Amino acid sequence: AAAATHTGAMPAPGSPIPPAPELPPHLPDEAAITRLVHAFYARARTDWLLGPVFEATVHDWPAHLDTLVRFWSSVLLRTARYRGNPMAAHRPLELGEAHFARWLALWDATAREVLTPEQARHVFQTAQRIGQSLRIGLEIDPLRRERRQALGPGCTHDPARGGGQST
């Protein structure tokens, strides 16, 4: 079941979320999320590293920005407005650690310009967690890759013998 919004009401899929009367100070409202997403992607599109990835992949920027606003609204405000699969969307892009580091640096800088310091810190920390999950899922997390290479091919986890966790 989809999560309720901070007001307890379930929004209709794709419907706009009314502004929250009183959000905790670390949470940006819908308008601030929209400003952040639009400002960030205006920068990312012209970035020396990220720009070519976006320009080769995104063919309808208004629709893409709307999807990203819904994603961040779902993540930050628990509005359940996003119905996608970020892992599947990023898998074919041939991203590396440098892409994630650059994305986070631009996200942080933009958040600090657009949001309050407390909100910027919160959205940056949230983005770090999402980025870490994506790097692990896409198998580009450098520490996990090093650990797998050191262990060799195959899973070393053997629950029958009380073995350690798989990597």
Side-chain angles (χ1 to χ4, degrees):
T5 65
H6 56 276
T7 62
M10 294 296 292
S15 67
I17 304 301
E22 293 185 37
L23 284 171
H26 70 283
L27 292 177
D29 63 12
E30 287 283 332
I33 291 170
T34 300
R35 284 192 311 272
L36 171 62
V37 167
H38 283 253
F40 170 77
Y41 284 96
R43 279 185 172 174
R45 287 178 74 174
T46 61
D47 183 73
W48 63 273
L49 180 61
L50 301 178
V53 175
F54 285 115
E55 292 306 318
T57 307
V58 178
H59 305 291
D60 183 348
W61 273 100
H64 189 63
L65 290 170
D66 182 58
T67 297
L68 293 166
V69 168
R70 285 185 285 111
F71 171 79
W72 284 104
S73 173
S74 293
V75 169
L76 296 169
L77 301 178
R78 302 189 188 278
T79 60
R81 294 178 58 215
Y82 176 75
R83 304 269 195 275
N85 183 336
M87 193 69 67
H90 290 86
R91 191 167 304 284
L93 300 181
E94 299 182 28
L95 300 173
E97 181 62 31
H99 293 96
F100 281 93
R102 183 68 182 150
W103 192 101
L104 281 170
L106 281 178
W107 182 257
D108 186 38
T110 307
R112 289 174 188 269
E113 290 175 11
V114 173
L115 304 174
T116 68
E118 192 173 7
Q119 291 169 349
R121 189 170 37 257
H122 178 70
V123 299
F124 178 68
Q125 290 168 345
T126 302
Q128 283 181 307
R129 287 191 299 273
I130 292 168
Q132 183 64 25
S133 293
L134 282 170
R135 287 194 301 273
I136 290 169
L138 297 173
E139 298 183 358
I140 58 174
D141 177 65
L143 295 176
R144 183 160 292 213
R145 187 173 51 245
E146 287 174 21
R147 225 169 68 202
R148 283 190 179 182
Q149 289 171 351
L151 292 173
C155 177
T156 60
H157 177 71
D158 184 355
R161 291 195 234 159
Q165 294 181 346
S166 63
T167 56

